[in-house]
Amino acid sequence: MAYFILKRLIQSVFVMLAVAFLAFSLFRFVGDPITQMTGVETSVADQERLREELGLNDPFVTQFVRFTGDMLQGDFGFSYRTRQPVAEMIADRIPATLELGIVALLISLIVGIPAGVYTALRPRGVVSQTILMTTLIGVSVPTFVIGIMLIFLFGVQLGWLPTFGRGGTVQIGGWESSFFTVDGWRALILPAITLGVYQLTLTMRLVRAEMMEVMRSDYIRFATARGVPMRRLYFKHALANTMVPVITIIGLQFGGVIAFSIVTESVFQWPGMGLLFLESIRFVDIPVMGVYLVVIAFFFVLVNLIVDMLYVAIDPRLRVKDAA
Amino acid sequence: MNYSLKSSALVCMTVLLSSTALSAETFRWASTTDPQTMDPHAVNSAPVLSFMNNIYEGLVRRGKDMSIEPSLATSWEPLEGENGWRFTLREGVTFQDGSAFTSEDVMFSYQRASNEAADVRSWFAPVSDVRVVDDFTIDFVTTAPNPLFPDSIANFMILEKDWAEGNDAALPARDAENFATMNVNGTGPFTLASRDPGVRTVLTPHEGWWGEAEHNVTEAIFTPIGNSATGLAALLSGEIDFIQPIPLQDVAQVEERDGFKVLEGEETRVIMFGFGHEHETLLYSDDVTDSNPFTDPRVRLAAAHALDIDSINRVLFRGKIQPASQLVPAGISGYSEANSDRPEYNPDRARELLAEAGYPDGFSFGLKCTNDRYINDEALCRAAASMFAAVGLNAELSTGPVRDYWPQLREDDFDMYLLGWSPGTFDMEHPIRFLMHSQNDEKKLGSWNFGNYSNARVDELLPMIQQEIDPAARQALIDEVVAITQEEVAYIPLYTQPLIWAAKDNVELTQRADNFFLLRWVTVN
């Protein structure tokens, strides 16, 4: 097992290098950082001097090697926009994004799995049809529209929930958390729903499809014939067997939730990594963009690893194989 | 038009202070961009300078109507026997850390701001020497007579010498941050209580401020909100008291709700089209590949006659723009009253001019525009392209974000381009220096004259304008430049952009024409 994890971590280094390389080769087309860093009155000569100082005139390969070399030594560089250390900027923003992603994931699981089971067991019921219809709307409407609609309904018209930001946060050992204040939770609700809607629908439909499949299988029929209580049958025997594909998809999606929370973060001015990335694009802040993309690549690798490990925990057959 | 009437209407929208007793208030506001740094010398950009004017002060400052008034200097006069200015400093001023303000701090700030590491150093290009005369007198010597020097340093902010040196912030941060990136020590009316870049910045009043507080703010919380719909929702839900700016299309939304108001003014930014005067051929033409028709002033004039500014104003801007005849709006010093007519909309004349120039059937060319820099910039260019097409000028429009727009213009990758210019010194000399003088890297002139419009007489007039002390003689020189550039259609000035802010009804504030928002004029009722 340890060997397996180690192997995956080593692979992740190559994934991140590849991402860094791709990102870096695209940065040249993002724009000119110098004109974003200087005022209109700054002379062309001063701009050139700055460009030289920052090494932007160096060939692409030199810049890339310097970037990755510094990063391997733990030096993430400084933001062109704010001059702050990039590592600190990103570290400051990780809690916001992770907490938002986790709550969005929880919402999608807590609502999505029972809804999936229900709609599988009563496929023709009115309630099932209504759930299926509404969630279909949920996935068809773009995230930012859902976000804006929620903001205007619950923030502006009803005035129940805040429209932007994280509300009250508490510092716990460098981790800025929304989980410990009422304000923090109130601020979390709308963005988490916005971010989670797509996941929720996906989870529900996946559970439903798998569940319907499983319910038709022989062992369920035998179990029914044997008189296993329905409740036990649905949740122990049937649901557990639907979980492997569900976890795969949801796990992989979670990486996406973290990576693509950009839209939600922008709509709710949620101070996470995605918002930082957007600001960085606007200012052509290459060091921040580069590190962000590498960090996101790492998240993906990590999530995949966890998914693989969960398989083993859920599916006894894999454990047997591993032992053999 | 009456100057003072026009300027008071145009330059400033001041809402009268209410006479009710001032009570303690927390004020929350938002804007689209977070100031990149708290260092007033590190970045010469409006978000930074506007924000830092709450915390730091200069020798002089601009009032509600943009006029220059005493700040840390109580008076200034030209030096005798040499070129330059003597500033008499205010006594009894203390920095936010309690230390006293003297001429040493001015000297130090000058050295800091004129250093290579500072982005504001261009303000001191005319300065040859700075001398401390005594604790409260300082001389700025300039290489030539410079009547506008005091006006040009209104945003030159003074840091405390010992504080900066003691915290390793003697120079502005260029690569890595330093103490002054996140901490402040100014003489201004507000000081920094906390800062979380990109998230939240809190200011509190500086108790020892030398001035009389006009505001009643006890705590001011700034949040950058990049998404305009989110910003609007934050205002309408009451979570913020004020936002700058809001998009034109949201004006009605705000106006129709009780308890909110829209503040409209006119920015000093003039939007214009520029040409590749120096290009030998068109880059993006299908039909004219061996020459550049825009080198012919008749063709440029034809383009100007093709544009119907009134329709653009009505359709795209809800009547909120002012047509422009020159590169500064009326009311700005140096505005040429004598040349206040702009080419009228006359498509027939445009076609005639094209025929005279040898292009009876017109030609195609490339038009470059931004899509995220100026209000409705992309829509404007679409409208302009169809108006050009009506007279035979077939513009191939390409739009893009501003972050790669300037590099394209610097590389001469355009036939015609869009540009907006706000005169940093609030004087006509500024656009002449940056947009009309021919490109000269050595003298740092014409650095935004992308098409390299070049006229020997204009080049000759610029230093004369810079040095002329007599206002009437100076205006005559400026009038000549404006006349020449209009005659030759160096640019097509289009209009000045509106400033649109929104606030809760109970907030009184001042909208200054440079789009700066200053807390010292805020009252929350």
Side-chain angles (χ1 to χ4, degrees):
Chain A
M1 195 68 179
Y3 170 71
F4 171 71
I5 294 174
L6 190 71
K7 201 174 77 182
R8 292 296 289 267
L9 286 177
I10 291 168
Q11 280 173 357
S12 77
V13 173
F14 288 100
V15 172
M16 291 192 300
L17 273 177
V19 167
F21 184 80
L22 280 175
F24 240 73
S25 47
L26 289 174
F27 287 158
R28 286 179 301 163
F29 306 104
V30 180
D32 179 20
I34 301 297
T35 49
Q36 299 300 307
M37 289 171 76
T38 55
V40 292
E41 290 166 334
T42 306
S43 69
V44 178
D46 281 343
Q47 290 190 11
E48 268 316 306
R49 195 170 38 74
L50 184 58
R51 198 185 303 276
E52 192 62 43
E53 275 175 28
L54 293 175
L56 292 167
N57 286 335
D58 296 343
F60 164 70
V61 176
T62 317
Q63 290 194 44
F64 175 68
V65 168
R66 187 170 52 221
F67 174 78
T68 44
D70 286 350
M71 218 154 114
L72 289 174
Q73 292 167 32
D75 174 8
F76 290 62
F78 291 88
S79 156
Y80 289 167
R81 181 171 61 96
T82 67
R83 272 74 162 180
Q84 285 179 284
V86 177
E88 193 180 290
M89 287 170 85
I90 293 204
D92 280 352
R93 299 294 187 99
I94 285 178
T97 297
L98 273 188
E99 288 191 353
L100 176 63
I102 288 168
V103 174
L105 181 75
L106 286 180
I107 290 178
S108 71
L109 294 182
I110 291 169
V111 181
I113 293 178
V117 173
Y118 182 86
T119 49
L121 298 181
R122 292 208 178 26
R124 311 227 179 279
V126 181
V127 182
S128 292
Q129 290 299 322
T130 319
I131 293 176
L132 288 171
M133 286 294 285
T134 30
T135 51
L136 198 62
I137 296 170
V139 268
S140 332
V141 180
T143 311
F144 71 92
V145 176
I146 296 177
I148 297 281
M149 279 177 3
L150 289 176
I151 288 176
F152 270 84
L153 182 59
F154 294 101
V156 178
Q157 295 299 341
L158 299 171
W160 292 349
L161 296 167
T163 57
F164 75 95
R166 289 186 81 185
T169 53
V170 178
Q171 283 277 354
I172 297 166
W175 181 279
E176 195 176 354
S177 177
S178 306
F179 291 164
F180 300 94
T181 63
V182 177
D183 265 359
W185 274 106
R186 289 181 58 222
L188 249 174
I189 297 174
L190 295 184
I193 291 176
T194 308
L195 187 59
V197 161
Y198 185 81
Q199 279 264 339
L200 192 158
T201 312
L202 192 75
T203 309
M204 191 192 82
R205 292 195 165 245
L206 205 65
V207 169
R208 176 169 177 270
E210 287 294 324
M211 196 71 178
M212 288 170 94
E213 180 88 29
V214 170
M215 290 305 285
R216 279 195 293 270
S217 60
D218 289 342
Y219 75 92
I220 295 289
R221 287 192 196 166
F222 285 128
T224 319
R226 263 182 61 196
V228 174
M230 288 315 254
R231 200 184 167 77
R232 191 176 152 80
L233 181 73
Y234 293 151
F235 288 96
K236 174 115 188 8
H237 297 287
L239 187 60
N241 278 293
T242 65
M243 278 292 122
V244 168
V246 170
I247 283 178
T248 314
I249 301 292
I250 289 171
L252 294 179
Q253 282 284 314
F254 184 64
V257 166
I258 298 293
F260 305 117
S261 61
I262 293 176
V263 175
T264 307
E265 290 188 11
S266 153
V267 170
F268 289 90
Q269 193 64 28
W270 188 262
M273 287 190 292
L275 192 62
L276 181 68
F277 183 60
L278 273 189
E279 288 164 9
S280 304
I281 293 177
R282 196 148 70 95
F283 282 87
V284 199
D285 198 345
I286 291 174
V288 177
M289 289 193 283
V291 175
Y292 170 86
L293 291 173
V294 171
V295 167
I296 287 297
F298 178 70
F299 265 117
F300 266 97
V301 173
L302 199 67
V303 168
N304 273 351
L305 180 63
I306 293 171
V307 169
D308 283 351
M309 285 157 66
L310 278 179
Y311 278 172
V312 182
I314 289 176
D315 193 336
R317 288 169 298 185
L318 291 173
R319 252 172 303 185
V320 175
K321 218 182 286 171
D322 198 44
Chain B
M1 189 175 285
N2 179 309
Y3 172 80
S4 62
L5 186 87
K6 174 80 180 167
S7 72
S8 58
L10 168 133
V11 171
C12 128
M13 259 205 49
T14 305
V15 192
L16 285 174
L17 264 162
S18 85
S19 55
T20 51
L22 302 182
S23 59
E25 293 297 341
T26 294
F27 173 75
R28 293 180 175 80
W29 92 103
S31 180
T32 43
T33 310
D34 195 45
Q36 294 101 299
T37 169
M38 292 288 109
D39 189 326
H41 301 153
V43 181
N44 183 1
S45 78
V48 173
L49 296 179
S50 168
F51 198 89
M52 297 323 291
N53 259 298
N54 292 308
I55 297 172
Y56 288 99
E57 292 175 304
L59 297 177
V60 303
R61 68 182 185 195
R62 290 188 185 274
K64 293 178 180 179
D65 61 354
M66 297 299 299
S67 62
I68 292 290
E69 56 183 42
S71 182
L72 290 180
T74 50
S75 64
W76 49 94
E77 65 267 353
L79 289 171
E80 280 175 31
E82 61 185 327
N83 298 318
W85 291 82
R86 166 163 295 181
F87 292 87
T88 307
L89 305 182
R90 193 177 294 275
E91 298 184 27
V93 173
T94 53
F95 283 93
Q96 284 141 9
D97 71 350
S99 50
F101 161 73
T102 67
S103 52
E104 281 302 324
D105 300 312
V106 180
M107 183 69 183
F108 168 74
S109 300
Y110 159 72
Q111 285 163 347
R112 191 176 192 273
S114 60
N115 185 279
E116 275 194 351
D119 193 33
V120 299
R121 66 191 294 244
S122 64
W123 298 336
F124 302 98
V127 176
S128 56
D129 192 19
V130 178
R131 286 188 304 250
V132 169
V133 179
D134 59 42
D135 270 1
F136 295 100
T137 313
I138 192 162
D139 290 348
F140 280 77
V141 183
T142 54
T143 45
N146 197 324
L148 278 179
F149 180 70
D151 298 43
S152 71
I153 55 164
N155 287 322
F156 161 47
M157 295 176 230
I158 309 298
L159 271 75
E160 215 265 319
K161 181 177 191 241
D162 297 334
W163 173 83
E165 287 180 345
N167 289 302
D168 287 330
L171 291 179
R174 187 100 258 200
D175 307 333
E177 67 175 346
N178 69 23
F179 193 72
T181 315
M182 293 280 276
N183 298 277
V184 301
N185 185 25
T187 59
F190 286 85
T191 188
L192 193 62
S194 73
R195 169 144 172 92
D196 188 355
V199 182
R200 192 178 138 101
T201 305
V202 182
L203 301 182
T204 49
H206 167 206
E207 297 305 335
W209 188 47
W210 56 269
E212 190 75 38
E214 285 178 53
H215 65 85
N216 68 340
V217 175
T218 50
E219 184 188 37
I221 303 172
F222 171 75
T223 313
I225 300 184
N227 188 313
S228 61
T230 310
L232 183 70
L235 178 73
L236 297 181
S237 69
E239 287 162 89
I240 56 171
D241 300 308
F242 162 64
I243 182 162
Q244 75 170 141
I246 60 163
L248 261 173
Q249 63 268 23
D250 289 340
V251 168
Q253 270 252 40
V254 176
E255 275 172 345
E256 73 192 18
R257 275 173 202 259
D258 284 342
F260 299 95
K261 61 186 171 192
V262 173
L263 299 129
E264 280 174 31
E266 205 176 302
E267 205 183 347
T268 49
R269 189 180 301 280
V270 171
I271 306 295
M272 68 193 87
F273 283 127
F275 304 96
H277 292 275
E278 218 186 24
H279 300 178
E280 287 183 359
T281 56
L282 291 176
L283 296 172
Y284 294 95
S285 182
D286 302 328
D287 33 32
V288 179
T289 48
D290 55 345
S291 66
N292 176 8
F294 289 121
T295 51
D296 186 332
R298 285 172 299 190
V299 175
R300 304 199 292 264
L301 187 59
H305 279 306
L307 295 172
D308 180 359
I309 294 293
D310 291 335
S311 297
I312 290 175
N313 190 10
R314 204 177 53 245
V315 178
L316 295 181
F317 292 93
R318 295 162 202 241
K320 294 186 196 302
I321 57 173
Q322 279 295 326
S325 58
Q326 46 198 287
L327 301 194
V328 296
I332 293 292
S333 94
Y335 174 79
S336 177
E337 289 290 349
N339 300 289
S340 60
D341 291 332
R342 71 181 310 283
E344 81 282 5
Y345 171 54
N346 189 344
D348 294 334
R349 180 79 191 117
R351 271 179 229 116
E352 272 172 43
L353 283 163
L354 284 176
E356 276 173 41
Y359 302 98
D361 302 323
F363 58 91
S364 69
F365 65 98
L367 173 62
K368 280 254 154 87
C369 290
T370 52
N371 60 14
D372 62 352
R373 180 69 186 87
Y374 312 111
I375 299 174
N376 287 348
D377 42 9
E378 188 168 5
L380 162 73
C381 287
R382 286 194 193 292
S386 67
M387 288 173 183
F388 284 144
V391 301
L393 292 166
N394 296 311
E396 185 121 355
L397 179 62
S398 73
T399 62
V402 69
R403 57 177 182 266
D404 41 39
Y405 189 66
W406 305 135
Q408 288 175 23
L409 296 194
R410 288 228 182 277
E411 281 161 19
D412 284 339
D413 183 13
F414 60 85
D415 294 327
M416 191 196 271
Y417 63 93
L418 180 75
L419 179 67
W421 194 257
S422 184
T425 55
F426 295 88
D427 186 274
M428 184 70 198
E429 180 269 339
H430 193 269
I432 298 177
R433 172 161 37 118
F434 285 98
L435 304 181
M436 291 173 166
H437 191 286
S438 46
Q439 286 176 6
N440 186 331
D441 287 352
E442 194 187 324
K443 290 188 187 161
K444 299 177 179 169
L445 298 171
S447 59
W448 287 70
N449 181 1
F450 295 112
N452 202 12
Y453 166 74
S454 179
N455 179 301
R457 180 63 185 153
V458 172
D459 289 3
E460 190 181 7
L461 283 164
L462 177 65
M464 293 161 70
I465 291 167
Q466 288 172 331
Q467 295 167 23
E468 183 54 60
I469 305 273
D470 176 50
R474 183 174 192 273
Q475 190 60 52
L477 298 169
I478 291 179
D479 287 349
E480 192 182 340
V481 172
V482 176
I484 292 172
T485 52
Q486 280 186 348
E487 170 78 30
E488 298 193 334
V489 200
Y491 292 91
I492 307 177
L494 301 171
Y495 55 82
T496 43
Q497 208 169 252
L499 269 185
I500 303 171
W501 300 359
K504 283 188 190 164
D505 262 340
N506 65 335
V507 174
E508 313 284 351
L509 50 87
T510 297
Q511 185 173 37
R512 219 166 67 171
D514 55 359
N515 203 1
F516 279 22
F517 163 69
L518 296 181
L519 282 170
R520 65 188 164 97
W521 291 319
V522 172
T523 356
V524 183
N525 296 317

